Amino acid sequence: MSTTSADEGLTSSGRTPRNGFDRFFEISARGSTVGREVRGGLATFFTMAYIVVLNPLILAAGVDQAGGKLPVAALAAGTALVAGVMTILMGVVARFPLALAAGLGVNALVAYEIAPEMAWADAMGLVFLEGVIIAVLVLTGLRTAVFRAVPTQLKTAIGVGIGLFLMIIGLVDAGFVRRIPDASGTTVPVELGIGGKLTTWPLLVFCVGLLFTLVLFVRKVKGAILLGILGTTVLAIVVEAIGHIGPSFVDGKANPSGWSLNVPTLPDKIVDTPDLSLLGHFNVLDSWSRAGWLVVIMFIFTLLITDFFDTMGTMVAVGQEGGLLDAEGMPPRTREILLVDSVAAAAGGAASVSSNTSFIESASGVAEGARTGAANLVTGVLFLLATFLAPLVTVVPFEAASTALVVVGFLMMMAVRQIDWTDYEIAIPAFLTITLMPFTYSISNGIGAGVVSYVLLKVAVGKGRQVHPLLYGVAVLFVLYFLRGPLESVLL
């Protein structure tokens, strides 16, 4: 569902393009303006900028088979560079407001499961190979065909589920919702703040920033989400200057009252020379001899399933938020979107920064008005500048960026009314899709549960012929995906 008026959606054709730039990106045709695209691109960048800091921290924590580690500075520069290039490529080729960067979850898999079995170059070679395989699936039409085989209402459920997923990401990143340590003796997995109380200054900053953003949004202030991020960041800088709160981890010890990820202080320097030494540091073939073909196949399969369906869900959710889907729930230039995403996966491996994929945070830019690939030019250029301006990226704390994720989660949740909850055959799969995404912290898990349950229920009531043949194959793959733990223990 679009959050803008009907005359600003995909169907608003007939407006005369102002110039060649407008005509190429279809800005007027989609009811947008250059100003909205710029605001959307800025909002997307600020909600994604954390990846330039977080991805290096995750990958640098991993150790390969020989005990080798990747340098943080080179990982940060490579992360920003690939994100910038791929985001611009998505904007120019697919002309869709979908930004890309190193995917969370996949980078942890590479760092903690794949790299320990081989050298870093071999692990990144597998990521590159996985991207090539997905690109082949796109060029043969299989990936698009699978996407079309998913029922429209299930696609809607995917968008709603991702909205809730975004919300929980925002709340957890800001520290508003926290995991309860196992040693506490309670069966409740999460709690409000610390001990059920909002007792820290960063939490207060988040709450004030969220309420400020909501007020701007309800009053229909242009740039409400972006203004919310910037305003909350300014407040965070002032609070840190007065209170000297510090990070959430100090010398390896937890500081529950500290800022999440970034401490909002003005940096000592603004420009820094990027370290691009990791570019091209990958090897496609050695992993087969080091770890064995069965281990390698299992790793590639896991990477493939995760990237394959995460992007589909993200694409639907962003298109749904901007009113950019057709009657079948397909965004414009679906093939081009999927192809660029596949190239980005391979590019991430080639640059040793893990698989790059479409980011659901792009929905914050769409909520800010972005409707075309022109917004990607803004986001992409900012990522490229971040290779030199990395110190500035660290100014925005999670507590500020997370306000956007909560608001966007609400906007995406509104599409839930498009699902027929009286039809159990679609309502139950939709319910599983929506709930399992946030509760398992995985888009792929939610999609898998929805597809498997949909096929099973249709067969159980004697309506198996209504299921697209491709969906049976997808369901089987997801069953293997969910059972990969037991399968690995038996086969490996």
Side-chain angles (χ1 to χ4, degrees), residues 136-162:
V136 172
L137 294 177
V138 174
L139 293 174
T140 58
L142 181 60
R143 196 178 186 188
T144 305
V146 168
F147 183 66
R148 291 185 179 277
V150 178
T152 301
Q153 290 193 61
L154 197 54
K155 291 175 185 173
T156 300
I158 290 171
V160 174
I162 290 178

Side-chain angles (χ1 to χ4, degrees), residues 357-408:
T357 188
S358 303
F359 259 56
I360 188 54
E361 282 86 345
S362 304
S364 63
V366 173
E368 200 55 79
R371 293 293 180 272
T372 78
N376 281 38
L377 302 184
V378 177
T379 304
V381 167
L382 289 174
F383 268 120
L384 293 179
L385 289 176
T387 62
F388 297 92
L389 305 175
L392 280 181
V393 176
T394 63
V395 173
V396 182
F398 265 156
E399 287 79 4
S402 295
T403 58
L405 301 184
V406 176
V407 175
V408 173

Side-chain angles (χ1 to χ4, degrees), residues 95-164:
R95 303 172 209 173
F96 192 71
L98 194 60
L100 302 96
L104 292 174
V106 175
N107 55 5
L109 173 66
V110 173
Y112 303 124
E113 294 187 39
I114 299 180
E117 299 290 334
M118 56 194 73
W120 273 112
D122 302 331
M124 293 303 175
L126 290 188
V127 174
F128 174 83
L129 183 60
E130 173 257 339
V132 171
I133 293 173
I134 294 183
V136 172
L137 294 177
V138 174
L139 293 174
T140 58
L142 181 60
R143 196 178 186 188
T144 305
V146 168
F147 183 66
R148 291 185 179 277
V150 178
T152 301
Q153 290 193 61
L154 197 54
K155 291 175 185 173
T156 300
I158 290 171
V160 174
I162 290 178
L164 290 179

